[in-house]
Amino acid sequence: MALRTLDSLGSLDGRRVLLRADLNVPLHDGRIGDDGRIRATVPTVRWLTERGATVVVCSHLSRPAGSPDPRFSLAPVAERLEELLGAPVAFAADTAGPAASAMIDALEPATVGMIENLRFEPGEASKDAAEREDFARRLASHADVLVSDGFGVVHRKQASVYELARILPSAAGLLVAAEVEILHRLTTGPSRPYAVVLGGSKVSDKLGVIENLLPRVDTLIIGGGMMFTFLAAQGHPVGASLLETSQIDAVRRNIDEARRRGVRLLLPTDAVVAETFSADAAHTVAGVDDLERTPFGASGMGLDIGPDSAAAFADAIRSSSTVFWNGPMGVFEMPAFAGGTRAVAEAMTEVSGLSVIGGGDSAAAVRSLGFRDDQFGHISTGGGASLEFLEGAALPGLEVLGWQP
Ligand code: ADP
Ligand code: MG
């Protein structure tokens, strides 16, 4: 079955639409960093208001523990959306309580409101289906239909993504439809060689997808935080670098499986090792055999791939015809550790076929390093979601909208 798109909802004139977006933008001291995910939501909001719908936007932001936390309020995001839309966005300080009801009741047709961070409610991301269902029913009372446009969360079975889509008439928004279309091209006969580049810090999430990617790719390139679990699996001491000890055996199996399948597995040969996790930390380049033989000893932390690795990765990327990249190669937020990410981004702009970047931080990284969106084939708003899509997994938030991989 195909994805239900906006046209399937019929006339929206005068109807209330709950728009589940992914506005989980990077925040620094309460200020918005890269606003790519807010920008990516604007076309759907406009599409809906132009058709006379009253739009109630909802999203999560970061990972609050199921209760209100002012550090993760969506209020600044509502302000930014207002600037980007050039139209007012009313804001409610709760999700399904009296403030939300009052705000929504006061909305004129074809205008926009936003409710507070969905993860301020324990029901949103609860492991208990009944608790999610209960929260979804409370959200459902806000609207006549659900437009699901938060691509970054479609791999999560969460109340606003999954249960709510079964309660209200629902369809994919413009962003989700566009993401699915482009990523589908990567799963159905990508032009070869096909390389996947993985990095970032959500190590255990991402290690899990590798097994399922191996049958699909020609080249797998590993940098970022997860490189150290690979290096540890090969017997290299990694000092105080990010390491998932519990995953070492699984990683060993992946290394063997890559060899068996003839997948080219590219691991770093050197790393930038720092004394501490800070922008002005003393740092040095070390080969992967010598990560603990720097002046910082076993307390040194690998915060980026080294220059030799960056050059080798860039070569492999440039000579591939399809490349998908998720996860920065290092702690790009600190200039001293951005070199690997910059080299990979540069190489991505030189891919002759389709280059796709996925992930909130990865997208933010290439933008903050001065690259333009149009230098790449596509920048996906989803990291984990795009990886799971590429594995061929059934994503709950897409399945519920009619999509079958
Ligand atoms: P995405 O949002 O693109 O899916 P992640 O959220 O998994 O990416 O990871 C992004 C984060 O990974 C960045 O904040 C970056 O600083 C961090 N990171 C990359 N390499 C390392 C490393 N070697 N050690 C610690 N953090 C790292
Ligand atoms: Mg991230």
PDB file of all heavy atoms in Angstrom, residues 37 199-203 206 223-228 242 277 302-304 326-333 358-363 382-384, ligand 1:
ATOM      1  N   ARG A  37      15.048  22.176  10.590  1.00  0.00           N
ATOM      2  CA  ARG A  37      13.816  21.387  10.758  1.00  0.00           C
ATOM      3  C   ARG A  37      12.578  22.285  10.818  1.00  0.00           C
ATOM      4  O   ARG A  37      11.490  21.866  10.419  1.00  0.00           O
ATOM      5  CB  ARG A  37      13.911  20.539  12.021  1.00  0.00           C
ATOM      6  CG  ARG A  37      14.775  19.309  11.804  1.00  0.00           C
ATOM      7  CD  ARG A  37      14.893  18.464  13.044  1.00  0.00           C
ATOM      8  NE  ARG A  37      15.438  17.147  12.708  1.00  0.00           N
ATOM      9  CZ  ARG A  37      15.933  16.298  13.601  1.00  0.00           C
ATOM     10  NH1 ARG A  37      15.945  16.627  14.876  1.00  0.00           N
ATOM     11  NH2 ARG A  37      16.392  15.129  13.219  1.00  0.00           N
ATOM     12  N   GLY A 199      28.599   8.007  11.620  1.00  0.00           N
ATOM     13  CA  GLY A 199      29.352   8.614  12.715  1.00  0.00           C
ATOM     14  C   GLY A 199      28.377   9.068  13.773  1.00  0.00           C
ATOM     15  O   GLY A 199      27.322   8.476  13.945  1.00  0.00           O
ATOM     16  N   GLY A 200      28.720  10.126  14.494  1.00  0.00           N
ATOM     17  CA  GLY A 200      27.806  10.663  15.497  1.00  0.00           C
ATOM     18  C   GLY A 200      28.024  10.070  16.869  1.00  0.00           C
ATOM     19  O   GLY A 200      29.009   9.364  17.115  1.00  0.00           O
ATOM     20  N   SER A 201      27.093  10.357  17.766  1.00  0.00           N
ATOM     21  CA  SER A 201      27.276   9.929  19.154  1.00  0.00           C
ATOM     22  C   SER A 201      26.247   8.915  19.627  1.00  0.00           C
ATOM     23  O   SER A 201      26.412   8.323  20.680  1.00  0.00           O
ATOM     24  CB  SER A 201      27.240  11.152  20.076  1.00  0.00           C
ATOM     25  OG  SER A 201      25.989  11.778  19.962  1.00  0.00           O
ATOM     26  N   LYS A 202      25.153   8.736  18.892  1.00  0.00           N
ATOM     27  CA  LYS A 202      24.145   7.759  19.341  1.00  0.00           C
ATOM     28  C   LYS A 202      24.622   6.365  18.972  1.00  0.00           C
ATOM     29  O   LYS A 202      24.072   5.688  18.102  1.00  0.00           O
ATOM     30  CB  LYS A 202      22.804   8.059  18.698  1.00  0.00           C
ATOM     31  CG  LYS A 202      22.175   9.338  19.208  1.00  0.00           C
ATOM     32  CD  LYS A 202      20.821   9.551  18.553  1.00  0.00           C
ATOM     33  CE  LYS A 202      20.301  10.926  18.786  1.00  0.00           C
ATOM     34  NZ  LYS A 202      19.330  11.328  17.753  1.00  0.00           N
ATOM     35  N   VAL A 203      25.681   5.950  19.631  1.00  0.00           N
ATOM     36  CA  VAL A 203      26.412   4.771  19.198  1.00  0.00           C
ATOM     37  C   VAL A 203      25.552   3.515  19.189  1.00  0.00           C
ATOM     38  O   VAL A 203      25.440   2.835  18.174  1.00  0.00           O
ATOM     39  CB  VAL A 203      27.660   4.561  20.080  1.00  0.00           C
ATOM     40  CG1 VAL A 203      28.406   3.318  19.673  1.00  0.00           C
ATOM     41  CG2 VAL A 203      28.577   5.776  19.966  1.00  0.00           C
ATOM     42  N   LYS A 206      22.943   3.259  16.478  1.00  0.00           N
ATOM     43  CA  LYS A 206      23.433   3.134  15.099  1.00  0.00           C
ATOM     44  C   LYS A 206      24.162   1.822  14.856  1.00  0.00           C
ATOM     45  O   LYS A 206      24.129   1.307  13.740  1.00  0.00           O
ATOM     46  CB  LYS A 206      24.299   4.333  14.752  1.00  0.00           C
ATOM     47  CG  LYS A 206      23.449   5.611  14.737  1.00  0.00           C
ATOM     48  CD  LYS A 206      24.216   6.840  14.384  1.00  0.00           C
ATOM     49  CE  LYS A 206      23.325   8.072  14.573  1.00  0.00           C
ATOM     50  NZ  LYS A 206      23.997   9.303  14.197  1.00  0.00           N
ATOM     51  N   GLY A 223      33.098   6.482  11.295  1.00  0.00           N
ATOM     52  CA  GLY A 223      33.850   7.501  12.035  1.00  0.00           C
ATOM     53  C   GLY A 223      33.052   7.889  13.264  1.00  0.00           C
ATOM     54  O   GLY A 223      32.192   7.133  13.722  1.00  0.00           O
ATOM     55  N   GLY A 224      33.282   9.078  13.805  1.00  0.00           N
ATOM     56  CA  GLY A 224      32.497   9.566  14.942  1.00  0.00           C
ATOM     57  C   GLY A 224      32.701   8.720  16.179  1.00  0.00           C
ATOM     58  O   GLY A 224      33.673   7.968  16.309  1.00  0.00           O
ATOM     59  N   GLY A 225      31.751   8.823  17.100  1.00  0.00           N
ATOM     60  CA  GLY A 225      31.880   8.125  18.375  1.00  0.00           C
ATOM     61  C   GLY A 225      31.936   6.611  18.218  1.00  0.00           C
ATOM     62  O   GLY A 225      32.596   5.918  18.985  1.00  0.00           O
ATOM     63  N   MET A 226      31.233   6.082  17.188  1.00  0.00           N
ATOM     64  CA  MET A 226      31.150   4.617  17.114  1.00  0.00           C
ATOM     65  C   MET A 226      32.438   3.964  16.615  1.00  0.00           C
ATOM     66  O   MET A 226      32.632   2.765  16.749  1.00  0.00           O
ATOM     67  CB  MET A 226      29.956   4.189  16.270  1.00  0.00           C
ATOM     68  CG  MET A 226      30.151   4.295  14.798  1.00  0.00           C
ATOM     69  SD  MET A 226      28.701   3.616  13.978  1.00  0.00           S
ATOM     70  CE  MET A 226      27.519   4.902  14.312  1.00  0.00           C
ATOM     71  N   MET A 227      33.340   4.768  16.072  1.00  0.00           N
ATOM     72  CA  MET A 227      34.594   4.179  15.597  1.00  0.00           C
ATOM     73  C   MET A 227      35.354   3.486  16.726  1.00  0.00           C
ATOM     74  O   MET A 227      36.047   2.505  16.497  1.00  0.00           O
ATOM     75  CB  MET A 227      35.481   5.241  14.946  1.00  0.00           C
ATOM     76  CG  MET A 227      36.037   6.292  15.897  1.00  0.00           C
ATOM     77  SD  MET A 227      36.766   7.684  14.993  1.00  0.00           S
ATOM     78  CE  MET A 227      38.494   7.470  15.379  1.00  0.00           C
ATOM     79  N   PHE A 228      35.178   3.980  17.940  1.00  0.00           N
ATOM     80  CA  PHE A 228      35.984   3.431  19.036  1.00  0.00           C
ATOM     81  C   PHE A 228      35.512   2.040  19.460  1.00  0.00           C
ATOM     82  O   PHE A 228      36.304   1.241  19.930  1.00  0.00           O
ATOM     83  CB  PHE A 228      36.020   4.422  20.207  1.00  0.00           C
ATOM     84  CG  PHE A 228      36.631   5.724  19.781  1.00  0.00           C
ATOM     85  CD1 PHE A 228      35.840   6.827  19.501  1.00  0.00           C
ATOM     86  CD2 PHE A 228      38.001   5.815  19.558  1.00  0.00           C
ATOM     87  CE1 PHE A 228      36.398   8.015  19.040  1.00  0.00           C
ATOM     88  CE2 PHE A 228      38.565   6.995  19.097  1.00  0.00           C
ATOM     89  CZ  PHE A 228      37.762   8.099  18.838  1.00  0.00           C
ATOM     90  N   LEU A 242      34.461   7.596  23.539  1.00  0.00           N
ATOM     91  CA  LEU A 242      33.143   6.955  23.594  1.00  0.00           C
ATOM     92  C   LEU A 242      33.299   5.476  23.275  1.00  0.00           C
ATOM     93  O   LEU A 242      33.920   5.122  22.279  1.00  0.00           O
ATOM     94  CB  LEU A 242      32.232   7.558  22.528  1.00  0.00           C
ATOM     95  CG  LEU A 242      31.381   8.772  22.839  1.00  0.00           C
ATOM     96  CD1 LEU A 242      30.416   9.033  21.682  1.00  0.00           C
ATOM     97  CD2 LEU A 242      30.601   8.585  24.130  1.00  0.00           C
ATOM     98  N   PHE A 277      37.219  17.025  27.143  1.00  0.00           N
ATOM     99  CA  PHE A 277      36.145  17.311  26.195  1.00  0.00           C
ATOM    100  C   PHE A 277      35.842  18.805  26.250  1.00  0.00           C
ATOM    101  O   PHE A 277      34.901  19.250  26.872  1.00  0.00           O
ATOM    102  CB  PHE A 277      34.903  16.490  26.579  1.00  0.00           C
ATOM    103  CG  PHE A 277      33.814  16.534  25.549  1.00  0.00           C
ATOM    104  CD1 PHE A 277      33.763  15.598  24.521  1.00  0.00           C
ATOM    105  CD2 PHE A 277      32.829  17.517  25.598  1.00  0.00           C
ATOM    106  CE1 PHE A 277      32.760  15.639  23.566  1.00  0.00           C
ATOM    107  CE2 PHE A 277      31.821  17.567  24.637  1.00  0.00           C
ATOM    108  CZ  PHE A 277      31.793  16.627  23.631  1.00  0.00           C
ATOM    109  N   GLY A 302      39.318  10.448  22.002  1.00  0.00           N
ATOM    110  CA  GLY A 302      39.303  10.652  20.553  1.00  0.00           C
ATOM    111  C   GLY A 302      38.093  11.487  20.183  1.00  0.00           C
ATOM    112  O   GLY A 302      36.957  11.059  20.378  1.00  0.00           O
ATOM    113  N   LEU A 303      38.328  12.681  19.651  1.00  0.00           N
ATOM    114  CA  LEU A 303      37.197  13.569  19.346  1.00  0.00           C
ATOM    115  C   LEU A 303      37.020  13.826  17.856  1.00  0.00           C
ATOM    116  O   LEU A 303      36.114  14.548  17.448  1.00  0.00           O
ATOM    117  CB  LEU A 303      37.330  14.893  20.111  1.00  0.00           C
ATOM    118  CG  LEU A 303      37.304  14.789  21.646  1.00  0.00           C
ATOM    119  CD1 LEU A 303      37.286  16.169  22.280  1.00  0.00           C
ATOM    120  CD2 LEU A 303      36.107  13.964  22.141  1.00  0.00           C
ATOM    121  N   ASP A 304      37.902  13.245  17.036  1.00  0.00           N
ATOM    122  CA  ASP A 304      37.705  13.375  15.583  1.00  0.00           C
ATOM    123  C   ASP A 304      38.532  12.288  14.911  1.00  0.00           C
ATOM    124  O   ASP A 304      39.463  11.743  15.517  1.00  0.00           O
ATOM    125  CB  ASP A 304      38.178  14.770  15.103  1.00  0.00           C
ATOM    126  CG  ASP A 304      37.700  15.106  13.684  1.00  0.00           C
ATOM    127  OD1 ASP A 304      36.846  14.359  13.132  1.00  0.00           O
ATOM    128  OD2 ASP A 304      38.175  16.127  13.133  1.00  0.00           O
ATOM    129  N   ASN A 326      25.264   9.596   7.669  1.00  0.00           N
ATOM    130  CA  ASN A 326      24.627  10.028   8.914  1.00  0.00           C
ATOM    131  C   ASN A 326      25.642  10.046  10.043  1.00  0.00           C
ATOM    132  O   ASN A 326      26.296   9.047  10.321  1.00  0.00           O
ATOM    133  CB  ASN A 326      23.471   9.093   9.293  1.00  0.00           C
ATOM    134  CG  ASN A 326      22.991   9.318  10.731  1.00  0.00           C
ATOM    135  OD1 ASN A 326      23.090   8.439  11.569  1.00  0.00           O
ATOM    136  ND2 ASN A 326      22.524  10.512  11.024  1.00  0.00           N
ATOM    137  N   GLY A 327      25.724  11.171  10.708  1.00  0.00           N
ATOM    138  CA  GLY A 327      26.540  11.286  11.912  1.00  0.00           C
ATOM    139  C   GLY A 327      27.876  11.943  11.648  1.00  0.00           C
ATOM    140  O   GLY A 327      28.689  11.466  10.871  1.00  0.00           O
ATOM    141  N   PRO A 328      28.138  13.073  12.332  1.00  0.00           N
ATOM    142  CA  PRO A 328      29.408  13.783  12.164  1.00  0.00           C
ATOM    143  C   PRO A 328      30.603  12.884  12.503  1.00  0.00           C
ATOM    144  O   PRO A 328      30.497  11.988  13.341  1.00  0.00           O
ATOM    145  CB  PRO A 328      29.305  14.930  13.165  1.00  0.00           C
ATOM    146  CG  PRO A 328      27.849  15.072  13.470  1.00  0.00           C
ATOM    147  CD  PRO A 328      27.231  13.747  13.262  1.00  0.00           C
ATOM    148  N   MET A 329      31.728  13.131  11.852  1.00  0.00           N
ATOM    149  CA  MET A 329      32.943  12.329  12.074  1.00  0.00           C
ATOM    150  C   MET A 329      33.617  12.636  13.400  1.00  0.00           C
ATOM    151  O   MET A 329      34.454  11.870  13.884  1.00  0.00           O
ATOM    152  CB  MET A 329      33.948  12.591  10.938  1.00  0.00           C
ATOM    153  CG  MET A 329      33.496  12.098   9.579  1.00  0.00           C
ATOM    154  SD  MET A 329      33.375  10.294   9.507  1.00  0.00           S
ATOM    155  CE  MET A 329      31.625  10.074   9.698  1.00  0.00           C
ATOM    156  N   GLY A 330      33.311  13.803  13.959  1.00  0.00           N
ATOM    157  CA  GLY A 330      33.915  14.206  15.217  1.00  0.00           C
ATOM    158  C   GLY A 330      33.041  15.251  15.886  1.00  0.00           C
ATOM    159  O   GLY A 330      31.918  15.523  15.451  1.00  0.00           O
ATOM    160  N   VAL A 331      33.580  15.829  16.946  1.00  0.00           N
ATOM    161  CA  VAL A 331      32.833  16.850  17.688  1.00  0.00           C
ATOM    162  C   VAL A 331      32.970  18.176  16.919  1.00  0.00           C
ATOM    163  O   VAL A 331      33.728  19.063  17.300  1.00  0.00           O
ATOM    164  CB  VAL A 331      33.341  16.950  19.138  1.00  0.00           C
ATOM    165  CG1 VAL A 331      32.498  17.928  19.953  1.00  0.00           C
ATOM    166  CG2 VAL A 331      33.299  15.570  19.813  1.00  0.00           C
ATOM    167  N   PHE A 332      32.191  18.253  15.818  1.00  0.00           N
ATOM    168  CA  PHE A 332      32.330  19.372  14.865  1.00  0.00           C
ATOM    169  C   PHE A 332      31.986  20.714  15.497  1.00  0.00           C
ATOM    170  O   PHE A 332      32.367  21.765  14.975  1.00  0.00           O
ATOM    171  CB  PHE A 332      31.429  19.136  13.649  1.00  0.00           C
ATOM    172  CG  PHE A 332      29.976  19.323  13.978  1.00  0.00           C
ATOM    173  CD1 PHE A 332      29.356  20.557  13.797  1.00  0.00           C
ATOM    174  CD2 PHE A 332      29.230  18.294  14.522  1.00  0.00           C
ATOM    175  CE1 PHE A 332      28.015  20.752  14.142  1.00  0.00           C
ATOM    176  CE2 PHE A 332      27.898  18.461  14.867  1.00  0.00           C
ATOM    177  CZ  PHE A 332      27.293  19.694  14.674  1.00  0.00           C
ATOM    178  N   GLU A 333      31.228  20.673  16.620  1.00  0.00           N
ATOM    179  CA  GLU A 333      30.834  21.927  17.264  1.00  0.00           C
ATOM    180  C   GLU A 333      32.060  22.688  17.766  1.00  0.00           C
ATOM    181  O   GLU A 333      31.989  23.897  18.000  1.00  0.00           O
ATOM    182  CB  GLU A 333      29.899  21.657  18.452  1.00  0.00           C
ATOM    183  CG  GLU A 333      28.549  21.010  18.090  1.00  0.00           C
ATOM    184  CD  GLU A 333      28.576  19.472  18.146  1.00  0.00           C
ATOM    185  OE1 GLU A 333      29.687  18.881  18.012  1.00  0.00           O
ATOM    186  OE2 GLU A 333      27.508  18.873  18.291  1.00  0.00           O
ATOM    187  N   GLY A 358      21.736  12.550   6.281  1.00  0.00           N
ATOM    188  CA  GLY A 358      20.597  12.418   7.189  1.00  0.00           C
ATOM    189  C   GLY A 358      21.018  12.703   8.612  1.00  0.00           C
ATOM    190  O   GLY A 358      22.151  12.426   9.005  1.00  0.00           O
ATOM    191  N   GLY A 359      20.081  13.264   9.394  1.00  0.00           N
ATOM    192  CA  GLY A 359      20.352  13.472  10.818  1.00  0.00           C
ATOM    193  C   GLY A 359      20.367  14.942  11.173  1.00  0.00           C
ATOM    194  O   GLY A 359      20.924  15.764  10.443  1.00  0.00           O
ATOM    195  N   GLY A 360      19.764  15.264  12.311  1.00  0.00           N
ATOM    196  CA  GLY A 360      19.679  16.657  12.735  1.00  0.00           C
ATOM    197  C   GLY A 360      21.049  17.273  12.904  1.00  0.00           C
ATOM    198  O   GLY A 360      21.321  18.374  12.408  1.00  0.00           O
ATOM    199  N   ASP A 361      21.946  16.575  13.601  1.00  0.00           N
ATOM    200  CA  ASP A 361      23.269  17.151  13.847  1.00  0.00           C
ATOM    201  C   ASP A 361      24.120  17.137  12.587  1.00  0.00           C
ATOM    202  O   ASP A 361      24.936  18.031  12.367  1.00  0.00           O
ATOM    203  CB  ASP A 361      23.981  16.391  14.968  1.00  0.00           C
ATOM    204  CG  ASP A 361      23.314  16.644  16.304  1.00  0.00           C
ATOM    205  OD1 ASP A 361      23.393  17.781  16.786  1.00  0.00           O
ATOM    206  OD2 ASP A 361      22.699  15.713  16.842  1.00  0.00           O
ATOM    207  N   SER A 362      23.943  16.119  11.748  1.00  0.00           N
ATOM    208  CA  SER A 362      24.714  16.066  10.508  1.00  0.00           C
ATOM    209  C   SER A 362      24.338  17.235   9.600  1.00  0.00           C
ATOM    210  O   SER A 362      25.205  17.894   9.020  1.00  0.00           O
ATOM    211  CB  SER A 362      24.457  14.740   9.782  1.00  0.00           C
ATOM    212  OG  SER A 362      24.707  13.660  10.657  1.00  0.00           O
ATOM    213  N   ALA A 363      23.037  17.499   9.504  1.00  0.00           N
ATOM    214  CA  ALA A 363      22.577  18.625   8.682  1.00  0.00           C
ATOM    215  C   ALA A 363      23.104  19.933   9.271  1.00  0.00           C
ATOM    216  O   ALA A 363      23.610  20.803   8.549  1.00  0.00           O
ATOM    217  CB  ALA A 363      21.051  18.633   8.618  1.00  0.00           C
ATOM    218  N   GLY A 382      15.836  13.331   9.143  1.00  0.00           N
ATOM    219  CA  GLY A 382      15.889  12.204  10.064  1.00  0.00           C
ATOM    220  C   GLY A 382      17.243  11.511  10.061  1.00  0.00           C
ATOM    221  O   GLY A 382      17.813  11.272   8.994  1.00  0.00           O
ATOM    222  N   GLY A 383      17.771  11.193  11.235  1.00  0.00           N
ATOM    223  CA  GLY A 383      19.006  10.419  11.352  1.00  0.00           C
ATOM    224  C   GLY A 383      18.663   8.945  11.521  1.00  0.00           C
ATOM    225  O   GLY A 383      18.741   8.151  10.588  1.00  0.00           O
ATOM    226  N   GLY A 384      18.239   8.596  12.753  1.00  0.00           N
ATOM    227  CA  GLY A 384      17.832   7.220  13.032  1.00  0.00           C
ATOM    228  C   GLY A 384      16.743   6.756  12.082  1.00  0.00           C
ATOM    229  O   GLY A 384      16.774   5.617  11.582  1.00  0.00           O
TER     230      GLY A 384
HETATM  231  P1  ADP B   1      22.670  12.937  13.962  1.00  0.00           P
HETATM  232  O1  ADP B   1      21.829  13.913  14.753  1.00  0.00           O
HETATM  233  O2  ADP B   1      23.176  13.533  12.700  1.00  0.00           O
HETATM  234  O3  ADP B   1      21.974  11.604  13.775  1.00  0.00           O
HETATM  235  P2  ADP B   1      24.089  12.126  16.353  1.00  0.00           P
HETATM  236  O4  ADP B   1      23.047  12.782  17.175  1.00  0.00           O
HETATM  237  O5  ADP B   1      24.210  10.648  16.429  1.00  0.00           O
HETATM  238  O6  ADP B   1      23.991  12.616  14.831  1.00  0.00           O
HETATM  239  O7  ADP B   1      25.540  12.656  16.781  1.00  0.00           O
HETATM  240  C1  ADP B   1      25.916  14.007  16.706  1.00  0.00           C
HETATM  241  C2  ADP B   1      26.921  14.327  17.784  1.00  0.00           C
HETATM  242  O8  ADP B   1      27.990  13.405  17.758  1.00  0.00           O
HETATM  243  C3  ADP B   1      27.544  15.680  17.638  1.00  0.00           C
HETATM  244  O9  ADP B   1      27.054  16.504  18.666  1.00  0.00           O
HETATM  245  C4  ADP B   1      29.053  15.413  17.790  1.00  0.00           C
HETATM  246  O10 ADP B   1      29.684  16.319  18.650  1.00  0.00           O
HETATM  247  C5  ADP B   1      29.072  14.025  18.388  1.00  0.00           C
HETATM  248  N1  ADP B   1      30.308  13.276  18.127  1.00  0.00           N
HETATM  249  C6  ADP B   1      30.869  12.963  16.944  1.00  0.00           C
HETATM  250  N2  ADP B   1      32.030  12.311  17.116  1.00  0.00           N
HETATM  251  C7  ADP B   1      32.221  12.202  18.442  1.00  0.00           C
HETATM  252  C8  ADP B   1      33.259  11.640  19.262  1.00  0.00           C
HETATM  253  N3  ADP B   1      34.341  11.075  18.730  1.00  0.00           N
HETATM  254  N4  ADP B   1      33.121  11.728  20.594  1.00  0.00           N
HETATM  255  C9  ADP B   1      32.036  12.326  21.136  1.00  0.00           C
HETATM  256  N5  ADP B   1      31.029  12.861  20.432  1.00  0.00           N
HETATM  257  C10 ADP B   1      31.125  12.806  19.097  1.00  0.00           C
END
